[in-house]
Amino acid sequence: MGGDQRSMALNSKNDRGRNVYHVDNAGSSKMYGAVQGGRGGTAPPNKGRGHPSDSTHWRGQTRLTEGHWRGPRGNSRGARGGGNYSRNYIGRRPPPPRYDDLMQPDNKQDKTKNRQEMYGRGRGFSSKLKIDRRPTVQNVNFSGWQKIMIHDSAQHEPAAVMEEVKSMVGEKFEYHMLATESNNITFFLEDNECVCKSLRDLSKRLAMPGSNQRHTITVTSINSPPFPPPTEENLEKVKLIMSARYSSHMKRLDLSMFHKDIRFRSVNLLFPLYVPSNLGSVGRLITANIPNVEEIDLSKNKLSKLDAIADHLKTYANLTRLNLSSNKIPTISTLYKLKGLPILELSLEGNSLCNRFKNIDTYISEVRNYFP
């Protein structure tokens, strides 16, 4: 190079193995070959110092124009555009840059996106979207019950301890089966994960008024509380609550969300109907006291089986309406025990068996097989 072309001032060490190209005023590009230690190739025309179309200012600068590509240092022969191999690209469009140079090293998703944009989803990429149609797996063993234990608190009144706990939690909640167990106070919660989290945070912070002792609170998930067989005394309490929920004018017995009735707490009794012995006891109480009932509402009781009450329902000659909605009845075969029951209205909405049919006609047809 001679004359004004020496003003490129390319560093012979750092610029080895580069391809240099230049964009003219018409927008077309032309490559002038590889720079081999400041020798060889064709130099771009001299535009002069500070030319407006030359962003790099050829004179006095060591970096090349926008768009050059550098091969790996120390391996000029094996790199695209480096060493003697660069001569193969003189007069042609240079090879595209490697996608590694354009991608963020720590983001695999961005790497895949950039690679697909550069190569048009080629090189092993498929344009078909694979959809996972498997149903969402849920924990079917979860019952929603937690046992709460307040350690070393038996010297205080359980009701007073619960009032202090409620004031510190800051929200109202329903608890069941409050009792003293050894030197601890225990109770049970159902379907209330928010309060359980607050109780965990309250551990080692709870202190009764006038006492410096701070109590540990443990929360344990369980299948269900220990439900003993109903005693005669408990059945009398259940009978009184059932009579309060019976409408003699409409001959309708409302047992929806039965074990959450506030009257059970006043007698310190937990009586869920999804326990088979409890459901069977309710059936016997109906048979003995209100056999002429015309409508029974058993919705929202987490019922998954009806064996314990099926035989009792068949003895109610005037029963025409039965509500089993929002329970946990899994399949249509669960209703087999009720086959032939002379009812006119049956509600099954909110049970998982409803999702097993493709259309409403098939659903109605299957139900009518049991209740013609």
Side-chain angles (χ1 to χ4, degrees):
M1 291 184 290
D4 292 336
Q5 293 181 353
R6 293 193 181 91
S7 62
M8 287 185 61
L10 297 175
N11 186 287
S12 60
K13 181 178 180 181
N14 296 331
D15 297 325
R16 182 182 298 275
R18 291 188 180 182
N19 287 327
V20 182
Y21 9 39
H22 170 69
V23 180
D24 58 18
N25 295 332
S28 60
S29 61
K30 181 179 180 181
M31 191 170 76
Y32 292 92
V35 179
Q36 296 285 336
R39 299 175 178 270
T42 306
N46 183 19
K47 293 182 178 293
R49 183 188 300 270
H51 193 279
S53 63
D54 189 357
S55 60
T56 58
H57 297 186
W58 292 100
R59 186 181 301 276
Q61 298 293 332
T62 57
R63 73 181 184 93
L64 300 179
T65 56
E66 191 73 20
H68 78 275
W69 183 81
R70 179 197 294 273
R73 295 183 181 179
N75 189 18
S76 59
R77 289 186 59 84
R80 293 181 294 174
N84 297 330
Y85 292 94
S86 62
R87 300 174 184 174
N88 298 329
Y89 298 109
I90 296 177
R92 292 192 297 154
R93 184 179 181 85
R98 296 175 300 174
Y99 55 78
D100 301 304
D101 299 332
L102 301 179
M103 290 187 289
Q104 300 176 6
D106 298 329
N107 195 326
K108 184 176 181 181
Q109 184 176 1
D110 291 343
K111 288 182 179 181
T112 304
K113 181 179 179 181
N114 291 335
R115 191 184 303 132
Q116 291 176 352
E117 290 177 354
M118 291 181 60
Y119 294 103
R121 291 185 179 271
R123 300 191 180 183
F125 286 92
S126 173
S127 60
K128 295 182 179 180
L129 178 64
K130 183 178 180 181
I131 302 177
D132 189 359
R133 299 184 179 274
R134 293 177 296 179
T136 303
V137 179
Q138 299 181 353
N139 186 3
V140 296
N141 296 323
F142 178 71
S143 62
W145 283 101
Q146 289 86 23
K147 181 180 180 180
I148 315 300
M149 179 176 291
I150 305 176
H151 295 261
D152 303 324
S153 58
Q155 68 271 21
H156 305 286
E157 279 292 327
V161 173
M162 291 308 302
E163 289 299 324
E164 186 67 21
V165 169
K166 285 185 174 181
S167 65
M168 297 189 71
V169 168
E171 61 179 292
K172 296 181 179 180
F173 60 90
E174 296 181 1
Y175 59 89
H176 306 278
M177 301 175 67
L178 180 64
T180 301
E181 182 179 308
S182 183
N183 195 32
N184 312 312
I185 292 178
T186 62
F187 60 94
F188 295 89
L189 293 179
E190 182 185 18
D191 299 330
N192 206 332
E193 184 59 33
C194 181
V195 173
C196 289
K197 183 180 183 301
S198 299
L199 291 173
R200 293 187 186 98
D201 296 338
L202 190 59
S203 181
K204 296 183 180 180
R205 293 171 49 204
L206 175 65
M208 295 299 293
S211 174
N212 295 327
Q213 182 182 8
R214 299 186 180 273
H215 302 280
T216 301
I217 301 177
T218 57
V219 181
T220 307
S221 297
I222 59 175
N223 291 329
S224 64
F227 298 115
T231 63
E232 290 298 327
E233 180 183 359
N234 289 339
L235 288 179
E236 285 298 321
K237 299 176 182 178
V238 173
K239 180 180 176 180
L240 292 175
I241 296 175
M242 289 176 61
S243 63
R245 302 180 65 144
Y246 176 68
S247 173
S248 58
H249 174 68
M250 301 180 62
K251 294 184 178 181
R252 179 179 185 273
L253 178 61
D254 182 11
L255 298 177
S256 62
M257 301 177 66
F258 188 56
H259 69 282
K260 292 190 175 182
D261 194 303
I262 193 173
R263 288 174 282 254
F264 278 116
R265 192 186 310 156
S266 62
V267 296
N268 196 24
L269 178 63
L270 183 60
F271 200 84
L273 295 184
Y274 57 80
V275 178
S277 59
N278 294 344
L279 186 59
S281 299
V282 167
R284 289 190 293 271
L285 289 174
I286 297 174
T287 303
N289 297 279
I290 46 175
N292 295 326
V293 63
E294 295 181 0
E295 180 181 356
I296 298 178
D297 186 353
L298 288 169
S299 62
K300 301 179 181 178
N301 280 297
K302 299 184 179 181
L303 299 177
S304 59
K305 297 181 179 180
L306 304 172
D307 300 1
I309 199 174
D311 293 337
H312 297 285
L313 292 176
K314 292 181 179 180
T315 63
Y316 311 145
N318 298 331
L319 182 65
T320 56
R321 295 182 295 275
L322 180 63
N323 189 347
L324 296 173
S325 62
S326 301
N327 281 295
K328 295 185 176 182
I329 302 176
T331 61
I332 194 70
S333 60
T334 308
L335 303 177
Y336 177 78
K337 291 288 185 178
L338 304 180
K339 187 175 182 179
L341 197 66
I343 57 176
L344 301 178
E345 295 181 14
L346 176 65
S347 298
L348 295 171
E349 295 86 356
N351 289 280
S352 57
L353 68 89
C354 299
N355 301 326
R356 295 179 176 270
F357 299 94
K358 296 181 178 179
N359 54 67
I360 189 64
D361 294 332
T362 306
Y363 166 68
I364 294 176
S365 175
E366 289 293 332
V367 173
R368 287 189 180 276
N369 290 334
Y370 295 96
F371 307 100

